[in-house]
Amino acid sequence: MSFLRTVSITFGNQILIYILALLSNIITARVLGPAGKGQVAAAFAISNTVIQFVHLGISQGLINTGARSEENAKKSAFSALVFTFTNGLIGILVLLVLAYSNTNLVKNIPTEIIIFLAIGVPFSLLVTFFEAILLASENIVSMNIVVSSGEVIRLAGLVALLLVGSLTVTNVIILWLFTIILNSVLAIFLVQVKVGFSPILNFRYYREIIIISIKSFLVGIAGYLLLRSDIILLNYFRTSTEVGIYSIAVSLADKVIVLPKIIGR
């Protein structure tokens, strides 16, 4: 597939995702109000920050090793499952500690919401890692299907909850968990069909992935914290209502920042 076509498909997919995410944000903001939207935004900001740390930039390592050959892509696909389990377990433990530590970082967020988000950590990592495998093997259409399917399912779920009058903060989080699980199943299916798995217990191979990943992680984490620390800090010092109002403006700007990165990806 040509570079121009690859960029066009991915850019168009990101535009679609932006529109779907915007509609989802409008629904949640209108129904949950500023306080409810603030709880959701703060919960996801904390969860995504933990995910970003335990991710360790593994996607970059999987892309680098998986792009070398078809056999390496299969090995990297299996490696992605290993990292999903190990890194996901660490993420679960970190979020559970936060949930029961009574720290001000989660002062406006109910404990059960943090627990639901903790359960979703391995699935979030799996989706991200398998997107990297599909990208490395140049299955661009399949990768974009995985990327966009989550927003499609989420929007459909929000509309369904709205119609039955059950759109609450907790149900929004449960819907996210349900969505990421379905997205994981889709990602596994597409990787199995397009790439395949080659079981490997070679720690030198894992070490190579980690070394490449750490370099990417150290560069990317600073930028991520710069973009996400505002919500976490606001939740620490202020109320859910203020977080909700602020998060609406931030969500509109986020995709505009991300879109130019598509060419680099």
Side-chain angles (χ1 to χ4, degrees):
M1 187 178 293
S2 68
F3 174 77
L4 181 60
R5 186 181 177 192
T6 297
V7 171
S8 299
I9 291 173
T10 306
F11 191 85
N13 192 56
Q14 288 295 322
I15 294 293
L16 173 63
I17 291 172
Y18 179 82
I19 294 172
L20 295 174
L22 179 62
L23 292 173
S24 296
N25 282 325
I26 290 172
I27 292 173
T28 53
R30 294 289 295 176
V31 177
L32 300 180
K37 183 67 171 65
Q39 283 187 335
V40 171
F44 279 130
I46 292 171
S47 173
N48 289 340
T49 300
V50 171
I51 290 172
Q52 190 71 17
F53 271 100
V54 299
H55 179 281
L56 287 176
I58 295 297
S59 289
Q60 192 59 45
L62 293 172
I63 292 172
N64 188 285
T65 55
R68 295 173 187 173
S69 67
E70 290 185 10
E71 183 58 30
N72 267 32
K74 293 179 180 181
K75 291 179 180 179
S76 293
F78 183 81
S79 301
L81 292 175
V82 174
F83 287 116
T84 293
F85 177 78
T86 56
N87 297 28
L89 182 59
I90 296 171
I92 289 174
L93 293 175
V94 171
L95 280 175
L96 289 179
V97 168
L98 286 175
Y100 291 102
S101 64
N102 294 320
T103 174
N104 280 345
L105 284 174
V106 295
K107 67 176 181 178
N108 298 321
I109 308 169
T111 300
E112 63 268 20
I113 287 180
I114 302 296
I115 293 174
F116 284 131
L117 290 171
I119 295 171
V121 169
F123 298 102
S124 296
L125 291 175
L126 187 147
V127 170
T128 304
F129 293 161
F130 277 21
E131 286 173 6
I133 297 299
L134 291 170
L135 177 61
S137 58
E138 298 185 356
N139 288 289
I140 305 302
V141 174
S142 295
M143 183 199 74
N144 280 291
I145 289 173
V146 174
V147 173
S148 60
S149 62
E151 285 297 339
V152 173
I153 297 170
R154 179 187 175 212
L155 179 58
L158 287 173
V159 171
L161 289 173
L162 179 63
L163 291 176
V164 300
S166 299
L167 190 57
T168 64
V169 172
T170 301
N171 284 345
V172 168
I173 302 300
I174 293 174
L175 172 63
W176 169 83
L177 179 58
F178 176 75
T179 299
I180 201 67
I181 291 174
L182 285 182
N183 216 11
S184 299
V185 173
L186 175 62
I188 292 173
F189 172 76
L190 288 175
V191 169
Q192 174 61 45
V193 172
K194 300 292 184 178
V195 181
F197 295 91
S198 180
I200 177 172
L201 296 176
N202 187 333
F203 290 100
R204 291 181 63 184
Y205 193 82
Y206 297 152
R207 180 173 175 270
E208 181 182 3
I209 292 175
I210 292 173
I211 290 174
I212 296 170
S213 301
I214 290 297
K215 295 176 182 179
S216 172
F217 171 75
L218 294 176
V219 173
I221 193 63
Y224 179 87
L225 290 176
L226 181 64
L227 291 174
R228 286 292 178 269
S229 59
D230 50 357
I231 296 289
I232 297 175
L233 290 174
L234 193 61
N235 183 66
Y236 183 90
F237 290 108
R238 310 299 296 179
T239 66
S240 293
T241 300
E242 291 167 297
V243 174
I245 295 172
Y246 177 79
S247 68
I248 294 171
V250 170
S251 65
L252 294 174
D254 275 351
K255 289 297 181 182
V256 177
I257 296 174
V258 172
L259 285 176
K261 297 181 180 179
I262 293 170
I263 296 177
R265 185 175 186 182

